[in-house]
Each structure stands twice: as C-alpha cells, then as structure tokens.
Amino acid sequence: MYRAVVTVKLKKGVLNPEGRTILRALNFLGYKEVKDVNTFKCIELFIEDEDRDKVMKRVEEMCKKLLTNPVIHDYEIELEKLD
Amino acid sequence: MYRAVVTVKLKKGVLNPEGRTILRALNFLGYKEVKDVNTFKCIELFIEDEDRDKVMKRVEEMCKKLLTNPVIHDYEIELEKLD
C-alpha cells in the first residue's frame, strides 16, 4: 500500500483570485504584515500496489488525465510506503 | 520574512464529496488500485516579521478568524524563515 500526495499549484503567471481575496481580507482585518498569499490543493491517494515505479507511473498518468489541468497547473507527487 | 503554510483538512468523520468523486472517477478510468482519496487545501502566506513566536501566534489567530472553519476543519501550520 502506498500513500501518494499530489500537490497541484497554479503555474507562475496564472492569477490566483482566491489567494488575492484572502490577502485583502487579512490586511483588512489588521494583519498588515501579510504580503502575499497563494493557495494550492493536495490530493491524497491510497493505492494498493507494492511496485513503487509502477505506482509513480500510474499516478503521473492520473495527474495528466484527471487530477490536473496542464494548461494552468504544475504538480508534484510524493510517495510514501505504508505498512 | 517568514513563509507559513497552513494545511486545512476536513476533520475525521466529515464527508469529503470531492475526494469521493475523484475516487469514483479514477476507478471508472481503470485505476482500480486506488482505494481511497482525500483532498485538502494549503494556504501559503508570506509574512514580513522577524519574531518567530509572534508570527506563529498571529497565524494561529488568522486560522481561527478567517482561514478555517473550526466546526469542520483541522489545521496545521508550518513556518519557514526566508532570507
């Protein structure tokens, strides 16, 4: 069993309106020390397989087919073996 | 300057319809080895301050006031000093 965490971030240059909204709200609430905010999403997958290379390859495929939009997203995959 | 990453997860027992939908879609696409999916959100804050304890305290406050909903969310804060 593997635990995979896919971190999906917007590419540099793509506007993040959610982050911008949080930044404005925090500044408005008095947290003036906050200078920038980004948000990103993580997807945690539990995968029943013992072959690390195969798991990595399949998760890459899932990212391309379903989990991310390659036009606007960058992604990173972390794998962790579970007992 | 500090970089703070706030990870916001649903509490145990709170349904995650997004994760459930991704799980079904992956299984449908042939990725039968995927047994469970969770999603969570990360908020990355850039904070102009040099006092680590103060930054931590302020980010905790932000979590309680704006960034999370304590009824359904758990959160973790990671701080990293930037040069």
Side-chain angles (χ1 to χ4, degrees), chain A residues 33-46:
Chain A
E33 71 269 36
V34 181
K35 298 301 177 194
D36 199 11
V37 178
N38 290 312
T39 59
F40 44 93
K41 164 161 275 180
C42 296
I43 303 163
E44 183 184 43
L45 308 161
F46 293 91

Side-chain angles (χ1 to χ4, degrees), chain A residues 51-61 77 79:
Chain A
D51 177 348
R52 192 185 180 90
D53 291 346
K54 187 179 150 209
V55 169
M56 189 51 132
K57 203 175 136 242
R58 299 271 286 176
V59 175
E60 289 258 8
E61 262 182 45
I77 299 168
L79 283 189

Side-chain angles (χ1 to χ4, degrees), chain A residues 18 31 33 35 41 61, chain B residues 18 31 41 46 58 61:
Chain A
E18 188 183 33
Y31 300 104
E33 71 269 36
K35 298 301 177 194
K41 164 161 275 180
E61 262 182 45
Chain B
E18 188 183 31
Y31 301 103
K41 164 162 275 180
F46 292 90
R58 299 272 284 176
E61 264 182 43

Side-chain angles (χ1 to χ4, degrees), chain A residues 12-33:
Chain A
K12 262 203 177 8
V14 179
L15 271 185
N16 182 342
E18 188 183 33
R20 188 52 63 96
T21 305
I22 294 172
L23 174 61
R24 276 213 306 251
L26 287 173
N27 287 167
F28 179 77
L29 287 172
Y31 300 104
K32 305 278 191 202
E33 71 269 36

